[in-house]
Amino acid sequence: MSDASKVNVLMVGTGEYTTGYVGGTASDSDKGAGVVALTMFDLRRRSKVDHVGMCGVNGKKFPGIREHMQKNIGDVYADMDLTCDTFPGDDEVSPKAFVTAAASYKKGDVAVIFTPDDTHFDIALECINRGMHVMVTKPIVQTLEHHQMLAKAAEENNVLVAVEVHKRLDPFYADARDRARSGLGNFQYLYAYMSQPKHQLDTFRAWAGKSSDISYYLNSHHIDFSEWTLAGIARPVRVTATGSTGVAHAKDIKTEDSITLTVQWQNLNDKTLGCAVYTSSWVAPKSDVHSQQRFFYMGSSGEINVDQAHRGCTVATDSGGFGSVNPLFMKYTPTNGKFSGQGSYGVKSFENFIDACLAINAGSNKPGDYDDGSLATVHTTMQGTAILEAGRRSLDTDGQPMDIIYKSEEAEEPIGIQPHAF
């Protein structure tokens, strides 16, 4: 029997962020040991999680994944129980394995979804309708309509549904958000950039340009930061997108190399306007970090610069060369033989969600209690989805600006998207 003081967790998705296993070996990114599975095994060690399951499409990968997790988790950290039910079977390939997997869990259990973007909606809805609490990697879905449907299902089933956007737990970003809200006045301008090296195109070849793009994948971080920061202050009203091409096409991957979204924000108090420029790329050269990420924010009363990639800590080794490291995200180096990354925001993002699910299951909290910005819930992240969808629609119509529609002049929850009429 499962312990009522713990939750069972189903991890849907077996790729880089869940296991660190890519193309039959450890990822050469900064996540070789993965994040989700490692965190869930550690939460079980700390008595917050009970049974753990993992679901993919191709069960033939699981023997390699188990070997990889033993090498990178079990052999590295003491007291880690890697017991994990897997779906489908090791000799099966089943795109609908998530249906069977979810059926083996009960109301109040947790699903953590890290799969290609175009699969999020179907998987999340299946789990929600079974009464499971659900955390989905960003972007939660690709269209505002699907986002609204998930929000409705979450409310009907009285479950917590949230987006995994760990930048909210980054102390630099969290402090910048609070400074912007408390002393920088109306929103004026933001420039945000996030990139990954071009070998990521090979890592994501299975879905890049087919089911999603680099804007959904990386711009989603800083767009969420804006929505979180500007809640009650400003709302997005227009999106125009442009792209760069060449590198991906040369690899026979039909997608943009870089995407820039220019978003007009309207301050709610006086209807003045601000402008945000979000650029993401997966054709950057290999450098001292896996992911360049930075932003400049200007309000009517002040400004902030944050360079997330460079925290003043560098490491050089004979085997790995020189690099700027960010242990604030994930601390993989063990302490006295045990995993000691619990303070990292990559871990906290999941642990905070698990803690919230435990509180809801115990009856001490309700799902709606987390709509206060403490979690990126499905009910408080619709602007981000609207921006991302409008950006894709703008790209697909040669840069046609897209307007985000609201019920009233004061409303903050978008209800639609339409081409801008000049």
Side-chain angles (χ1 to χ4, degrees):
M1 294 291 290
S2 177
D3 187 338
S5 66
K6 306 175 185 178
V7 290
N8 301 319
V9 176
L10 172 64
M11 300 177 289
V12 187
T14 63
E16 180 183 45
Y17 208 83
T18 299
T19 66
Y21 187 76
V22 177
T25 188
S27 167
D28 61 356
S29 73
D30 56 351
K31 309 174 191 73
V35 178
V36 185
L38 172 58
T39 299
M40 294 308 154
F41 294 142
D42 184 61
L43 288 173
R44 175 161 59 191
R45 182 177 71 87
R46 294 189 284 129
S47 299
K48 293 188 176 186
V49 165
D50 195 358
H51 298 297
V52 175
M54 185 184 300
C55 177
V57 171
N58 186 354
K60 297 174 184 178
K61 292 181 180 179
F62 283 126
I65 290 172
R66 293 187 195 102
E67 183 180 350
H68 165 81
M69 291 196 301
Q70 182 60 45
K71 178 182 177 181
N72 289 275
I73 299 176
D75 294 347
V76 175
Y77 308 109
D79 303 328
M80 283 289 201
D81 176 6
L82 305 189
T83 304
C84 182
D85 298 326
T86 52
F87 307 85
D90 287 7
D91 59 349
E92 297 179 72
V93 176
S94 173
K96 290 290 188 179
F98 68 88
V99 177
T100 304
S104 68
Y105 285 75
K106 65 181 189 307
K107 289 184 177 182
D109 285 343
V110 173
V112 178
I113 301 169
F114 275 74
T115 59
D117 297 347
D118 64 333
T119 67
H120 291 177
F121 175 73
D122 288 340
I123 300 171
L125 189 61
E126 178 73 22
C127 295
I128 292 168
N129 285 336
R130 289 189 176 276
M132 299 176 73
H133 305 296
V134 177
M135 174 171 260
V136 189
T137 184
K138 49 74 196 163
I140 185 170
V141 285
Q142 293 178 300
T143 68
L144 180 59
E145 179 184 11
H146 278 173
H147 197 135
Q148 292 165 336
M149 290 171 69
L150 288 189
K152 183 173 183 289
E155 188 170 359
E156 289 174 348
N157 288 278
N158 195 36
V159 296
L160 181 63
V161 177
V163 193
E164 201 285 314
V165 274
H166 49 261
K167 299 307 302 174
R168 293 191 180 200
L169 281 301
D170 181 333
F172 286 36
Y173 277 52
D175 182 68
R177 185 247 188 187
D178 291 342
R179 289 177 187 271
R181 292 180 64 80
S182 62
L184 298 189
N186 275 357
F187 174 63
Q188 284 278 310
Y189 175 75
L190 178 137
Y191 167 72
Y193 176 75
M194 197 164 183
S195 71
Q196 292 189 354
K198 56 177 62 73
H199 67 74
Q200 288 293 88
L201 282 169
D202 296 314
T203 299
F204 302 132
R205 178 179 287 272
W207 58 262
K210 299 171 186 175
S211 61
S212 195
D213 60 37
I214 189 58
S215 183
Y216 277 113
Y217 181 58
L218 288 185
N219 274 336
S220 48
H221 276 296
H222 285 116
I223 288 170
D224 177 74
F225 172 77
S226 295
E227 179 172 17
W228 183 46
T229 299
L230 296 175
I233 296 173
R235 65 182 189 178
V237 294
R238 186 171 303 154
V239 181
T240 308
T242 52
S244 305
T245 59
V247 177
H249 288 180
K251 293 174 172 282
D252 198 30
I253 300 173
K254 304 304 180 186
T255 190
E256 297 87 1
D257 298 337
S258 306
I259 293 175
T260 294
L261 305 185
T262 302
V263 181
Q264 190 88 77
W265 289 77
Q266 181 187 67
N267 289 297
L268 295 170
N269 62 348
D270 60 7
K271 309 307 178 190
T272 56
L273 299 175
C275 177
V277 181
Y278 309 93
T279 296
S280 59
S281 176
W282 45 17
V283 299
K286 190 173 178 66
S287 68
D288 61 325
V289 295
H290 177 68
S291 180
Q292 299 284 354
Q293 36 193 299
R294 53 186 178 266
F295 73 84
F296 168 79
Y297 177 101
M298 183 171 68
S300 56
S301 305
E303 64 186 41
I304 304 172
N305 264 299
V306 175
D307 180 356
Q308 186 274 343
H310 301 94
R311 305 301 182 108
C313 181
T314 62
V315 174
T317 64
D318 290 339
S319 59
F322 175 84
S324 295
V325 297
N326 180 17
L328 294 177
F329 167 59
M330 280 297 290
K331 181 184 179 300
Y332 286 109
T333 311
T335 301
N336 298 325
K338 293 186 177 182
F339 178 67
S340 56
Q342 294 83 9
S344 305
Y345 62 81
V347 172
K348 283 183 176 180
S349 181
F350 295 103
E351 185 166 4
N352 288 358
F353 184 76
I354 294 295
D355 286 344
C357 295
L358 287 168
I360 292 168
N361 290 349
S364 55
N365 283 354
K366 296 175 291 188
D369 293 340
Y370 299 94
D371 291 338
D372 61 354
S374 55
L375 290 176
T377 68
V378 67
H379 303 290
T380 59
T381 49
M382 290 189 193
Q383 290 179 0
T385 297
I387 291 171
L388 290 166
E389 181 189 357
R392 185 66 255 173
R393 288 173 61 175
S394 177
L395 281 169
D396 291 341
T397 53
D398 267 347
Q400 167 77 42
M402 295 287 161
D403 290 338
I404 298 175
I405 309 304
Y406 299 86
K407 281 185 177 179
S408 68
E409 287 294 313
E410 296 76 30
E412 295 183 64
E413 184 176 301
I415 59 171
I417 301 165
Q418 66 185 27
H420 178 71
F422 290 98

